[in-house]
Amino acid sequence: MLPICGKCHSAIKTRPSSGYLSCSGTCEKRFHFKCVDVPESLQEQLESVPGLNWKCSDCLKKCVSFDSDSLNVFLGKKFEEMVSNLKEVFSDLKTDLIKNAERQIKDTFMEPEPVTSFSSILKNKTKPAVIIEPKNPEQNFAQTKTDIASSIDPANEKIQIAKVKSTKNGGMLVGCLSSDQNLRFKQLAQEKLANSYVIRELNGISPRVRIVGFSQKYEEDEWVELADYMKSVNNSIFNVSSSCKILKFWATKKKRSTYQALLQVLR
């Protein structure tokens, strides 16, 4: 059966001399040259140039047309957005890399922070201090600090301050490195600030320590000697000027042949 022309709907002879061409679009129809008004010059090119295609008017209408200038503007904006996104990604990546590098350097080369030992905490808490509180209940800590600083010169008195902190009612706690310096600071405060302030000494806490592992029971009349011995073998815990006493001595619950003692640290 002979193919039909997509334009005139008559049969198309398949001999080359019949003069027809096939649409390369979606319809895949055949047309007489004369029916589609194809110039002779184009006919020759279609026949002689391999890969040169032709589409009928109906298939051309189905093709999407565009304005080249508008397309270039659109593509340009998309390109700028892509570049901006890439810059943001690289910036975040750079920041993360720097932070990771700094963290690795710190972990590798920085010295670890010292761990506060039980003995250092105990020594600090058992040290005495002086509390200076204003008689005026409306006075704040800033005024108290100013008055103390203008009245007492620690450097001139050769007093080394170990700790300073605010207390309630606008007061100030001052602790020195030694008991002698602490006593000297208290005397100076009483001489120069007693009219407007109440000065009192804080002797520090008296912590209790439970020691487990005694293999024998000690009677109460032996506790003083035992306490002195415990201080001598635990000098890393107790201050030189401090002392201790045994409050209780009893057997452990799990093992009745093992004993424990409760010590109280004193100044």
Side-chain angles (χ1 to χ4, degrees):
M1 183 176 179
L2 296 176
I4 304 298
C5 175
K7 188 71 172 178
C8 67
H9 305 293
S10 59
I12 297 176
K13 297 179 181 179
T14 57
R15 295 194 307 276
S17 59
S18 62
Y20 72 92
L21 68 163
S22 299
C23 176
S24 61
T26 57
C27 68
E28 297 181 349
K29 295 179 180 179
R30 296 182 182 182
F31 298 87
H32 294 111
F33 279 118
K34 62 181 180 178
C35 292
V36 292
D37 297 326
V38 176
E40 292 184 3
S41 57
L42 180 58
Q43 294 179 25
E44 295 175 358
Q45 293 178 7
L46 290 172
E47 293 176 351
S48 60
V49 178
L52 187 61
N53 299 319
W54 173 87
K55 289 184 176 63
C56 68
S57 57
D58 291 336
C59 288
L60 286 174
K61 291 178 182 178
K62 296 177 183 178
C63 295
V64 177
S65 60
F66 60 88
D67 179 70
S68 59
D69 293 336
S70 300
L71 181 63
N72 289 334
V73 172
F74 173 79
L75 294 177
K77 289 182 178 180
K78 288 297 181 182
F79 179 76
E80 290 177 357
E81 291 177 3
M82 181 182 67
V83 172
S84 177
N85 291 336
L86 287 175
K87 286 182 178 179
E88 185 176 349
V89 170
F90 283 123
S91 177
D92 293 341
L93 179 61
K94 180 181 178 181
T95 301
D96 292 340
L97 289 174
I98 292 175
K99 287 183 179 179
N100 290 334
E102 290 177 347
R103 190 180 299 111
Q104 291 178 3
I105 292 173
K106 182 178 180 180
D107 294 341
T108 304
F109 297 103
M110 295 295 287
E111 295 183 358
E113 294 183 1
V115 179
T116 304
S117 64
F118 170 75
S119 61
S120 63
I121 296 174
L122 191 58
K123 288 179 180 179
N124 184 55
K125 288 188 175 182
T126 55
K127 286 182 179 179
V130 176
I131 295 180
I132 303 174
E133 295 179 333
K135 294 180 180 180
N136 179 8
E138 303 297 328
Q139 184 170 309
N140 56 31
F141 171 72
Q143 183 61 50
T144 302
K145 183 178 179 182
T146 300
D147 291 346
I148 294 174
S150 62
S151 302
I152 302 174
D153 185 359
N156 186 50
E157 299 292 339
K158 297 181 180 180
I159 297 176
Q160 294 177 292
I161 305 298
K163 58 182 176 180
V164 174
K165 62 183 297 185
S166 62
T167 64
K168 62 180 181 179
N169 301 325
M172 181 173 176
L173 181 146
V174 180
C176 303
L177 286 182
S178 67
S179 297
D180 293 339
Q181 293 181 16
N182 204 73
L183 179 60
R184 177 57 180 160
F185 188 88
K186 178 184 176 183
Q187 292 173 346
L188 292 171
Q190 288 174 335
E191 292 174 4
K192 300 182 179 183
L193 299 168
N195 291 335
S196 302
Y197 292 89
V198 176
I199 295 95
R200 57 189 177 90
E201 187 175 6
L202 179 67
N203 293 326
I205 63 172
S206 298
R208 296 182 178 184
V209 181
R210 185 167 66 93
I211 301 177
V212 182
F214 294 95
S215 58
Q216 67 181 71
K217 182 179 180 181
Y218 290 88
E219 300 300 332
E220 190 170 350
D221 57 356
E222 301 175 291
W223 288 1
V224 174
E225 184 178 353
L226 179 60
D228 292 338
Y229 172 75
M230 293 304 302
K231 178 186 175 183
S232 66
V233 297
N234 293 279
N235 53 15
S236 63
I237 296 179
F238 300 104
N239 294 323
V240 175
S241 59
S242 66
S243 61
C244 64
K245 68 175 182 179
I246 295 178
L247 303 177
K248 185 178 179 181
F249 197 94
W250 73 105
T252 60
K253 291 183 179 180
K254 292 184 178 180
K255 193 175 182 181
R256 306 302 298 180
S257 60
T258 301
Y259 298 88
Q260 54 192 334
L262 180 64
L263 279 75
Q264 185 171 36
V265 180
L266 307 173
R267 281 191 58 191

